[in-house]
Amino acid sequence: MSEFTDKVKKRRTFAIISHPDAGKTTLTEKFLLYGGAIAEAGMVKGKQNMRHAVSDWMEIEKQRGISVTSSVLQFNYHNYCINILDTPGHQDFSEDTYRTLMAADSAVMVIDASKGVEDQTRKLFKVCAMRHIPIFTFINKLDREAKDPYELMEEIEAELGVETCAVNWPIGSGKQFKGVYERKNKQVICFSAVDGYRREVKEDIRDITDPSIKELLEDNQYEILMDDVDLLDGAGAEFDLNKIRRGEQSPVCFGSALTNFGVEPFLQHFLDFSMPPSPRMSDIGEIDPLSEDFSAFVFKIQANMNSRHRDRMAFMRITSGTFEKGMEVFHMQGNKKIKLNQSKQLLADDREEIKEAYSGDIIGIFDPGIFSIGDTLTVPSKKFKFEGIPTFAPEHFASIRNKDTMKRKQFVKGVTQIAQEGAIQIFTDMGGGMEQIYVGVVGVLQFEVLAYRLLNEYNVEIVNTPLSYQYVRWIENEGLNLKALNLSSDTKIVEDLRGRSLLLFSNQWGINWAEDKNKELILTEFSKNIS
């Protein structure tokens, strides 16, 4: 095996998804602790504790204790190089979350043991299912009172339509939480607080046949555990690695990220079961990650990550070959050769310049304004384009204007740059330029984020007026006479940033009317290719 092949096969790139407050960011930071990337986890627990999560770089995230944009983190663990895509978990997450999942080879789903599967988990799972990527489940917060573990697994299967297989099994919960049973090696990892402080635990591993196990457990916990072991072995789903890698079965682990219990065993199981970087489809067929010809695609753009420099970063997923600082590549959408000189790997707002990266890695490249989401980079001698990244339909709309008309230039620049990142979508009247701007978002919190960023990054204060539109549909027809369309009175024809025509509807009735009265009209719920 060549050194290049070995490096690629030791890479893992995954996204962490969850409902708000399930413990996703805490779990991410514990991974980084094990990898030695950070010395102490920063947590937001009320105003008294002003430390912020290391994966949150935006000031609004630090103030409110939430993640509103996806973060890209990398660390090494047991000879593996792991790339984590930490997605927002709040209810009003953005389209940025959807697109980040397009750059992942697998996903870690974090579920609150007391709440089970929640709305946000369902939405994110659908995106994973669309790509058939493996999902690894960590049922968190066992140090608090929790639902019955059988009930939790049945809920995952019923709600998400994926088979589950317990890799380990909890012994009690809350004050009676005594640890987990590892099924493969038949060992019990015992949970015990250190000096009564439940954020630190001592993991004591013992064989299940060890007589001292009985003494560690309370009341009838030992008998319940033995019954559970027999039931899981006899009636539980059989572990199937092929199903896992096809996204048809999810291995389930239990633990507590806050107390640092069960995190390292879960990480080790993930590395054992997950796959190295997977092939990506292009217009010339699948691109093998083990090919030594460099290729990558842009899945995220973020402006002003460093407030002192007002910079703009394009995040790229390397899909094949080796990246070397200063290398010359071909930018397919720009139809020209460029040099990749300023390359970074990031940990929140800390940056480290890198000279080399491999298939599966995520890197940030300084963007002078030439990149868009979905762009393809290749070696000059082998040109192709990856499949475009979908643009999902926004669900909330508003018109915006700047309060100070003398700052129009900053206003247009700010709105355009933030839209190019993908956090919002902006629309204008047909042929109207930027005179009237309509904003569409997946979650309403993005309106607040937009106003905050325009004020703090561009010194522009805006007025936001909510609109009654609920649906957007792109027009697929080319050369269609849009003025001749028979539409309901509350339907609006607009253009997106790339000049593509689309319709805004207030209700489903308006969509039905447009399709019934205009038989030649072809509408689609999302733009299939934005490159």
Side-chain angles (χ1 to χ4, degrees), residues 50-180:
M50 294 308 291
R51 286 180 295 156
H52 58 276
V54 71
S55 57
D56 295 337
W57 60 268
M58 197 183 292
E59 193 62 35
I60 191 173
E61 297 177 305
K62 299 174 185 179
Q63 291 177 5
R64 294 182 52 166
I66 60 172
S67 299
V68 298
T69 184
S70 300
S71 301
V72 183
L73 313 165
Q74 187 185 78
F75 69 101
N76 293 293
Y77 177 81
H78 287 192
N79 296 320
Y80 286 92
C81 180
I82 301 171
N83 295 275
I84 301 180
L85 300 162
D86 181 17
T87 65
H90 57 84
Q91 293 181 354
D92 291 325
F93 71 116
S94 72
E95 189 177 338
D96 177 51
T97 310
Y98 288 135
R99 277 195 295 269
T100 297
L101 288 167
M102 300 295 167
D105 295 311
S106 55
V108 168
M109 180 169 62
V110 186
I111 289 179
D112 187 324
S114 66
K115 297 177 181 177
V117 178
E118 299 176 85
D119 289 341
Q120 209 64 17
T121 316
R122 296 185 189 98
K123 294 176 75 173
L124 293 171
F125 179 84
K126 287 181 181 178
V127 182
C128 295
M130 183 173 70
R131 290 198 52 233
H132 304 288
I133 68 174
I135 296 178
F136 300 82
T137 302
F138 183 75
I139 297 183
N140 193 24
K141 302 187 179 182
L142 264 295
D143 58 310
R144 303 180 185 180
E145 292 303 320
K147 287 185 176 181
D148 179 80
Y150 292 110
E151 182 183 345
L152 285 165
M153 292 181 63
E154 288 174 1
E155 193 175 319
I156 293 170
E157 294 190 352
E159 293 280 359
L160 307 182
V162 62
E163 186 178 83
T164 58
C165 177
V167 176
N168 60 27
W169 196 251
I171 305 171
S173 67
K175 292 181 179 179
Q176 280 72 47
F177 182 49
K178 296 300 179 181
V180 294

Side-chain angles (χ1 to χ4, degrees), residues 10-18 23-35 55 70-77 80-88 97-110 128 131 133-138 263-264 266-278 280 299 317-318 359-362:
K10 286 294 185 180
R11 271 157 167 76
R12 297 292 185 271
T13 304
F14 68 94
I16 298 193
I17 61 177
S18 79
K24 170 185 57 60
T25 300
T26 304
L27 181 65
T28 301
E29 292 192 328
K30 295 305 167 69
F31 286 162
L32 297 176
L33 280 169
Y34 283 118
S55 57
S70 300
S71 301
V72 183
L73 313 165
Q74 187 185 78
F75 69 101
N76 293 293
Y77 177 81
Y80 286 92
C81 180
I82 301 171
N83 295 275
I84 301 180
L85 300 162
D86 181 17
T87 65
T97 310
Y98 288 135
R99 277 195 295 269
T100 297
L101 288 167
M102 300 295 167
D105 295 311
S106 55
V108 168
M109 180 169 62
V110 186
C128 295
R131 290 198 52 233
I133 68 174
I135 296 178
F136 300 82
T137 302
F138 183 75
V263 176
E264 192 166 23
F266 173 68
L267 178 58
Q268 190 58 57
H269 289 313
F270 169 79
L271 294 174
D272 290 342
F273 305 152
S274 60
M275 294 181 67
S278 56
R280 298 281 161 158
F299 69 92
R317 159 68 191 253
I318 301 176
S359 301
D361 283 343
I362 307 293

Side-chain angles (χ1 to χ4, degrees), residues 239-258:
F239 179 87
D240 189 326
L241 190 57
N242 290 325
K243 279 187 175 182
I244 291 171
R245 292 178 172 177
R246 292 196 303 266
E248 297 171 4
Q249 184 184 87
S250 179
V252 179
C253 290
F254 296 80
S256 166
L258 180 66

Side-chain angles (χ1 to χ4, degrees), residues 159-220:
E159 293 280 359
L160 307 182
V162 62
E163 186 178 83
T164 58
C165 177
V167 176
N168 60 27
W169 196 251
I171 305 171
S173 67
K175 292 181 179 179
Q176 280 72 47
F177 182 49
K178 296 300 179 181
V180 294
Y181 167 67
E182 288 284 331
R183 296 182 62 197
K184 183 178 180 180
N185 55 22
K186 302 186 185 303
Q187 290 180 329
V188 173
I189 305 177
C190 302
F191 174 97
S192 58
V194 176
D195 297 328
Y197 189 50
R198 298 191 65 81
R199 286 193 185 175
E200 297 181 24
V201 296
K202 180 181 178 182
E203 292 188 355
D204 181 14
I205 302 175
R206 306 187 188 191
D207 191 88
I208 195 168
T209 59
D210 188 331
S212 64
I213 293 291
K214 280 188 179 182
E215 299 172 10
L216 292 170
L217 305 184
E218 295 183 8
D219 301 329
N220 61 342

